[in-house]
Amino acid sequence: MRQPPPRRCRSGAARLLGLAIAASFAPLAVQAQPPYPDRSIRLIVATAAGGASDILARQVGQKLTEAWGQPVVVDPRPGANGNIAAVAAARAPADGYTLMMGTIGVMAVNVSIYRDAGYDPARDFDPVARLVRFSNILVVHPSNPARTMQEFILQTRERPGRATYGSPGNGGSPHLAMVVFARMAGLEMEHVPYRGAAPALSDLIAGNLVAAFSDPLVTLPQVADGRVRALAVSGPQRLAAAPTIPTVAEAGLPGYDVTGWLGIVAPRGVPAPIVARLNAELNRIIREPEMVARLASQGAEVTTGTPEEFGAYIRGEIARWAQVTREAGIRAE
C-alpha cells in the first residue's frame, strides 16, 4: 500500500509557494510607496517674522513649492532663544515633512549656554544642507557722535557698563559678534536680548539702545534710509552690497572674524533618500543666479555641500563656541 508523503514535505512546499507569491507582490509594494513629497512641508523658524531666518525660509520655501508643486509652510516659533522651535522640530515625525531653519545659536551655541535646552543638536537632528553665511553689521543710532568704529570704542570706554546693545537673543551670531568685539576692544557693555532681529533693530532706531550687531538682511535697508549708521562688518571681507563699510579687522581689531550661518536640518531618522533629495534640490535652488544675486544684495554669501559636510561643520561650530561662551561666562536659563 502506498504511503502518503510526509506532512513536512507538504509544509515545505507551502512555504516555498508562499515565498514565491510574496516575491511576486514585492515590486507592487515598492511601487505603492507614495513619492516624496506628496503633501505640504512645514519649515520651522526659530525667530520672529522679519529676521534673516524668516526671510530666507520664505525665499527657499517658495522655490521648493514651485519645483515640487507642494506648499512649504513657514512656521515661526520664536521664544526661549530658539529652544521652543528646536524642541518642536526634534519631536516631529522623521518623515521629511517637518524641517527647521538651523542657526548658529540653535545648532551650535544653546547646548553650551543652557543647563538643559530640551534637545541635543548632534543627537536629535540630521543635517540636510547649509545654505548661507553672513556677516553682521555694527550699527548705532544716527544721533550717536561716533562716526567710526574706533570713535565708538573710545566713547564706550569712557562710560564702562553704561552702553547697551541689543541682539535677537542669547547665543545668536549678533550676540556672539558683540561678545567677541567687546572682549577684544576691552569694553564693558550690557546685553539686551530680544525675540528676533527686527525688534532689536527697531529699539535701536527708537533710541533705546546704544549699538547692535545686526544681520544685513534686515539692516542694510535701514542703513540706506539713514535710520542707523553702520560702523563695521563682522566677517573677514567687506560686503559686496555695502563695499564702503570696513571690516572690524580693518577698522582696528586685527584677527576679528565672526560670521553667522543658516541651513536646513530635519528630525533625526529621516530616510536617507529623502535627505539626499532635499539636499540636491536645496543646493540647486541656492545656486540659481537669481538667488545668488538676491542674497548678495542682502549681504549673504551662498554656501553648498553634502549633508555630511554640513554635519562636520556643525560639530566644529559647537566646539568653537563652547570655548568662547565658557570663557565669557555666557549662561541662559
Side-chain angles (χ1 to χ4, degrees), residues 297-313:
S297 72
Q298 297 168 338
E301 178 187 355
V302 165
T303 58
T304 58
T306 66
E308 294 75 18
E309 289 169 338
F310 188 26
Y313 181 79

Side-chain angles (χ1 to χ4, degrees), residues 82-194:
N83 292 346
I84 292 174
V87 169
R91 294 178 179 174
D95 55 10
Y97 290 94
T98 297
L99 307 172
M100 183 177 74
M101 183 65 75
T103 68
I104 184 175
V106 171
M107 294 304 298
V109 179
N110 284 1
V111 68
S112 294
I113 65 175
Y114 282 88
R115 183 179 296 108
D116 181 11
Y119 69 98
D120 185 311
R123 181 194 64 216
D124 296 333
F125 290 98
D126 284 331
V128 176
R130 188 176 168 211
L131 300 178
V132 300
R133 64 182 175 188
F134 55 89
S135 298
N136 288 284
I137 305 176
L138 175 62
V139 289
V140 296
H141 193 273
S143 64
N144 193 303
R147 296 279 170 177
T148 67
M149 189 191 81
Q150 285 290 4
E151 289 178 358
F152 173 75
I153 290 174
L154 293 175
Q155 167 189 293
T156 306
R157 281 176 182 164
E158 293 173 357
R159 296 181 297 173
R162 295 173 57 188
T164 57
Y165 70 94
S167 83
N170 287 303
S173 64
H175 179 208
L176 298 174
M178 190 66 86
V179 167
V180 177
F181 175 83
R183 293 186 72 196
M184 292 182 67
L187 305 179
E188 295 180 22
M189 301 180 70
E190 180 183 350
H191 179 219
V192 182
Y194 291 79

Side-chain angles (χ1 to χ4, degrees), residues 38-305:
D38 68 345
R39 62 182 188 274
S40 64
I41 297 171
R42 180 173 60 142
L43 178 52
I44 294 176
V45 176
T47 58
S53 296
D54 180 70
I55 292 172
L56 184 62
R58 295 181 189 280
Q59 292 172 342
V60 170
Q62 180 60 38
K63 290 288 187 178
L64 281 175
T65 297
E66 294 170 0
W68 287 349
Q70 297 292 346
V72 175
V73 181
V74 176
D75 181 9
R77 297 287 188 97
N81 203 39
N83 292 346
I84 292 174
V87 169
R91 294 178 179 174
D95 55 10
Y97 290 94
T98 297
L99 307 172
M100 183 177 74
M101 183 65 75
T103 68
I104 184 175
V106 171
M107 294 304 298
V109 179
N110 284 1
V111 68
S112 294
I113 65 175
Y114 282 88
R115 183 179 296 108
D116 181 11
Y119 69 98
D120 185 311
R123 181 194 64 216
D124 296 333
F125 290 98
D126 284 331
V128 176
R130 188 176 168 211
L131 300 178
V132 300
R133 64 182 175 188
F134 55 89
S135 298
N136 288 284
I137 305 176
L138 175 62
V139 289
V140 296
H141 193 273
S143 64
N144 193 303
R147 296 279 170 177
T148 67
M149 189 191 81
Q150 285 290 4
E151 289 178 358
F152 173 75
I153 290 174
L154 293 175
Q155 167 189 293
T156 306
R157 281 176 182 164
E158 293 173 357
R159 296 181 297 173
R162 295 173 57 188
T164 57
Y165 70 94
S167 83
N170 287 303
S173 64
H175 179 208
L176 298 174
M178 190 66 86
V179 167
V180 177
F181 175 83
R183 293 186 72 196
M184 292 182 67
L187 305 179
E188 295 180 22
M189 301 180 70
E190 180 183 350
H191 179 219
V192 182
Y194 291 79
R195 296 180 66 180
L201 193 61
S202 294
D203 239 14
L204 176 63
I205 292 169
N208 297 323
L209 297 168
V210 172
F213 270 101
S214 187
D215 72 72
L217 277 73
V218 297
T219 307
L220 285 176
Q222 308 301 332
V223 173
D225 289 344
R227 303 180 74 186
V228 294
R229 179 184 303 130
L231 302 181
V233 297
S234 67
Q237 62 266 332
R238 298 189 182 200
L239 300 177
T244 61
I245 306 174
T247 68
V248 171
E250 287 176 325
L253 292 179
Y256 180 97
D257 178 8
V258 179
T259 54
W261 49 266
L262 298 170
I264 300 294
V265 298
R268 174 56 59 88
V270 172
I274 292 179
V275 171
R277 184 168 191 213
L278 279 165
N279 176 267
E281 191 64 28
L282 289 165
N283 281 337
R284 182 193 67 77
I285 286 170
I286 208 71
R287 286 195 299 253
E288 288 182 356
E290 173 208 353
M291 184 67 86
V292 172
R294 180 191 302 173
L295 289 168
S297 72
Q298 297 168 338
E301 178 187 355
V302 165
T303 58
T304 58

